[in-house]
Amino acid sequence: MSGAVPSLPTVGDAVLTNLVLVDGLRPQPRDGLALIIRDGVLAEIVDAADAPRDGAVDLGGRFVMPGLINMHTHFSLSLPGDGGDAVSSLDPAELALYMADGARRTLLSGVTTARCVAEKGGADFALRRAIEAGRVPGPRIFTAGRALCCTGGHGFDSDDTIECDGADAFTRGARSQIALGADLIKIMISGGIAGQHEQIDTPQLTRDEMAAVISTAHAWGRKVTAHAGPAAIIAEAVELGLDCVEHGYELTPAVAALMAARGTALVPTLVVTRAQAFFDDLGVPRWMQERSLAAGPRHLESFRMALDAGVEVLLGSDMPPFWDFEGTSAVVRELEHMQAGGLDAAATVRAATAAPAEWLAVSDRIGTIERGRFADLIAMPEDPASDIRALRDLDFVMKGGVVVRRD
C-alpha cells in the first residue's frame, strides 16, 4: 500500500443480486430484482437480468430489508451494580472509547440508525461527528444529549442527566441540549425500575415543567420523548403535546386511546422487564431485579392496550442492542417480544424501520428500500416479514453502500 491511509468509507457503490426484497413498503417480499447503489444511495431497483455482473455481490437468495432503527439506546449505560459502576468510573477518554466500541458492535448487530436518549457528558455528540467523518464505525445517530430530570429524579445520580427545578430551569435545560446539537429532548416525568428511592409510579415533573420543555423544544423544531411509567402523568404530558413515551409500564385503555388520537408514539422496551440474565451479568442489585421482573406482566398488558388503541409502536431495546442475550442479540429479542405480544411480523418490521424513520422525520432518507434512500440494509436466510425470529440468523449488514458485515 502506498500513499495516505484513508478514513473508513462512509459511502460506497455496489450491486446486490440474488435476493428477496422486503422493502418496508409492500406486504409481500419480491424476488427477481437487483439493487444498484451509487455514492451510498439506492440508485435503481432493476430486474436481476438487467443488473451489471462485474463486481456484483451475490446474496444467495437472502431476504434483504432496511437496517434496524433502535429508538432507545444508551451507549454510556450504567445501571446500579458492579457493571454500571465500572462504566461510571471511566474517565472522559475511556468513556469515549467505550462508547465507540458500543457503536461499532451496535452497527454489526444490524442497527444502522440509533436514537440516543440520555448519554454522559456530551460524548454522544463527539461520537456522532466521528462516525460521520469515518473515524470510527457506527450507526447514524440521533440524540437527545443529556436527559432532563428534577432534583433527585430518575437518573439524577448519573452524568447523563441534568437536574432542573421549575419551568425556567427546564426551559434552560432544553435549550442547553439544543445548543449542543440535540435532535430531540428527553424528560424524566416519573420514576422507573432503576431508581432506588422512587417507584415506577412516582410522578416527578409538574405540569408547568413539562409544558415548558415541550413548548420550548417544539419552538426549536425538536420533538420530546419522556421516560414514563404511570398512566396519569403520561396523560397529562400527552395533552401538553408529548411526542413519544418510553416504556409506558402502566398504561390504561383510555390513556392509550389518547396517545393514538394525539399521535404520540410508544417505545415499549419490553425486554427491560424480562432481563434476568442481563441483570445477572452486570451484578444489578436484588431490589432492582425484583422491581423490574415484577413489572413485566403489567408492562406487557400496557403494550397490548397500545396495540388495541392503534398507537404507533417503535423499536427500542434500552439494553445495549448487541448484547448476547437469550440466544440472540438484545435488539432481536426485543422484536421477538413485540411480535409475541401481539404485533404481527410485518408490523414488527415496520416498527423497526419505516415507523421510526417517520418519527425522526427522515423517511425520505432511511427506513425503506426505495430509490433515493441510503443503502442501509441487512440480510438473512429467512423472511422476517413472516416471522421476526428470522433476524436471529442475520449475516449481512450494509450502511451507506458499504458492507460492514458479511458472514
Side-chain angles (χ1 to χ4, degrees), residues 345-404:
T348 306
V349 169
R350 172 176 165 76
T353 56
E358 291 169 6
W359 193 96
L360 291 167
V362 289
S363 57
D364 59 335
R365 290 182 279 163
I366 60 174
T368 56
I369 301 177
E370 51 186 320
R371 290 182 61 182
R373 275 41 173 195
F374 289 130
D376 295 354
L377 309 170
I378 58 176
M380 62 229 70
E382 303 298 329
D383 180 11
S386 294
D387 189 340
I388 206 67
R389 289 177 295 181
L391 282 164
R392 284 182 172 239
D393 296 319
L394 182 152
D395 57 8
F396 177 91
V397 181
M398 169 181 278
K399 179 193 168 196
V402 178
V403 177
V404 297

Side-chain angles (χ1 to χ4, degrees), residues 21 25 40 65 108 139 152 156 159 181-182 191 210 215 237 288 319 328 332 345 351 364 398:
L21 193 62
L25 298 166
M65 64 175 277
L108 295 179
F156 80 96
D159 190 35
M210 291 188 290
S215 63
M288 180 177 164
M319 286 172 57
T328 186
V332 172
D364 59 335
M398 169 181 278

